[in-house]
Amino acid sequence: MNARRTGWILWLCLVLTAAAGVVMRWALAGRIGMPWDFARLRHAHAHLAYYGVLVPLAWWAWRQAGIALPSAWTLLGYGAAVALSIVGFLRAGYAVEAIVGSTVVAGVWLVSAWRARARVRTWDDPLGALLPGMVLALACVPFVARFTRRDPGLAQQWVATFLAGMLLLVVLPSCLSALQVRRPWPALLVAGALGAAALGIWSTPVAGVGLLALALLVFPWRWSVPLHVGVVWALFALGLAAMGVGLVPNTRPVVIGAVHFMALSVCLPSLVAVPGAPLEHRGWWGHHVSVGLLCLPIVLQAFGAEAWTYLAAAVGGTLVLLELVLVGGIAAWGRAPLRR
C-alpha cells in the first residue's frame, strides 16, 4: 500500500473520529438532537481513534526505527476488521461484530509488537516498552467482557484502563521514538502501567506515583524539537504531575480532557511528522489552540464550571474538525505540501 493512499486512509479515519466527537459535543451542549445512541457512538468514536489513527500512526514511528510495517495483505485484513468492529459498536455496543473485529485488531497489534521486540537492543530505547505494554493493556479486555453486563460501571473503569494503557504504554513510547528521545523503557513500562491503573481501575495514591514518575520521564528537558512540541509536552508532563500529587482531581472530565489533549496535541504532531508532515510548521500553533479550546472547558467541568463549558467544548471540537479536514486533507493528498 503506497504512502499517499495510506495517508488518505489515516486522514479519513481521523476526520470520522473527530466528526463523531463533535456530534456528541453539540448534543451534550443541547444544541442538536442525538442522532445515534450516545453510548454506542462513544464506543465507536474511542475505538476508531485507536484502531484507525493512533496505532497505525505509531507503526510509522516503528518504521523509522527500522521495524517493518505489516504487509499489504495484513493491512487490508486489518482495515476490514476495523470496519467490522465499528459497525458492531454502532449497532449494539459490544456486539458480536465488534468482538470479532476487535479480536483480529488485537492479534495484528500483538504480532507487530512481537516483531518489533527484535529491534530493541538498548535499555534506553523507548520501543522496548511496546510488547509488554501492549500485553498489559490487552489484558484488560477479558475484564471488560466479563463485567459489561454484570457491572457496567466497573466495566467502564476497565475500558478506561485499557485505553489509557494503550496511550501510555504503546503510543507514548512510539512518540518518543519518533522524536528520537531516549528513555529507559523499563521505567516507562512501570510508570505507564501505574498511570493507566490510576486513570481507570485503581485510582489510588500509589498508582498516582506512576503519573508523577511518568511526568518526570517525558518532561522535554533539552529536547531537540520545535518550540510548539516542547510546549505541549511540557504542559502534558505538568498535567500528569498535578494529577499524580492530587492538585488536579482524578475525575472523569479531567481524564477525558487530558486524553484528548494527549492524543491531539501531543501524539498526533509527534507521529504525523514521521510520514512527512513538517513538524516545524508554524500552523501547528493554531492546531494546539483549537485543541485547547476543546479540552480546557471539559477539564473545568470537574471544578464546578457552568453549562457554558459544554458549548465551548463543542465550538473547540468543531474548530479541530475543520482544521483537520482542511489542513490534514491537504497533507494526506500531498497535493500542496505545507511550507514554513
Side-chain angles (χ1 to χ4, degrees):
M1 190 175 294
N2 62 49
R4 179 173 295 185
R5 185 178 302 170
T6 301
W8 183 85
I9 294 173
L10 288 171
W11 170 76
L12 180 61
C13 289
L14 180 58
V15 168
L16 289 175
T17 301
V22 167
V23 168
M24 289 188 290
R25 284 290 140 203
W26 282 107
L28 288 172
R31 300 308 173 97
I32 64 171
M34 189 63 209
W36 209 275
D37 179 86
F38 186 86
R40 296 176 186 177
L41 186 58
R42 184 186 64 203
H43 286 315
H45 166 74
H47 286 84
L48 183 58
Y50 284 81
Y51 293 6
V53 180
L54 291 172
V55 173
L57 280 176
W59 284 336
W60 284 97
W62 304 3
R63 182 184 183 184
Q64 186 188 43
I67 299 167
L69 295 177
S71 68
W73 284 108
T74 300
L75 289 176
L76 286 173
Y78 180 84
V82 171
L84 179 65
S85 64
I86 298 306
V87 168
F89 286 124
L90 289 173
R91 185 184 68 82
Y94 288 100
V96 174
E97 311 97 287
I99 294 172
V100 172
S102 297
T103 300
V104 175
V105 165
V108 175
W109 285 359
L110 284 171
V111 170
S112 62
W114 176 262
R115 293 173 61 185
R117 89 201 188 286
R119 304 295 299 182
V120 179
R121 297 186 176 90
T122 60
W123 67 276
D124 63 344
D125 185 344
L127 295 183
L130 290 180
L131 180 58
M134 190 172 289
V135 170
L136 286 174
L138 291 175
C140 299
V141 174
F143 294 97
V144 175
R146 178 180 180 183
F147 293 111
T148 294
R149 289 182 173 83
R150 297 182 184 179
D151 189 340
L154 183 59
Q156 191 58 43
Q157 291 180 350
W158 279 107
V159 170
T161 304
F162 162 68
L163 296 176
M166 287 299 299
L167 266 183
L168 299 180
L169 296 170
V170 177
V171 180
L172 186 144
S174 301
C175 293
L176 294 175
S177 177
L179 297 174
Q180 299 183 12
V181 174
R182 312 296 291 185
R183 286 294 182 271
W185 71 260
L188 285 174
L189 180 65
V190 174
L194 286 173
L199 297 176
I201 195 65
W202 196 42
S203 181
T204 66
V206 174
V209 173
L211 294 173
L212 181 58
L214 193 62
L216 296 174
L217 287 167
V218 301
F219 191 85
W221 179 250
R222 293 183 177 179
W223 289 10
S224 298
V225 296
L227 178 60
H228 76 92
V229 176
V231 169
V232 295
W233 276 88
L235 291 174
F236 171 59
L238 292 173
L240 288 176
M243 292 184 69
V245 300
L247 292 177
V248 175
N250 185 0
T251 59
R252 185 170 177 79
V254 171
V255 172
I256 291 174
V259 166
H260 281 76
F261 178 78
M262 180 183 176
L264 290 168
S265 259
V266 176
C267 297
L268 185 62
S270 301
L271 294 174
V272 299
V274 178
L279 190 58
E280 68 276 5
H281 189 269
R282 60 178 177 269
W284 280 112
W285 288 105
H287 172 78
H288 298 313
V289 170
S290 298
V291 174
L293 292 174
L294 164 66
C295 298
L296 184 58
I298 297 175
V299 171
L300 290 177
Q301 292 168 11
F303 297 90
E306 300 293 332
W308 65 266
T309 58
Y310 291 93
L311 178 59
V315 172
T318 302
L319 291 175
V320 172
L321 174 61
L322 292 174
E323 182 251 339
L324 292 175
V325 169
L326 296 175
V327 180
I330 291 172
W333 278 104
R335 291 179 176 176
L338 296 174
R339 301 180 183 274
R340 280 190 173 189

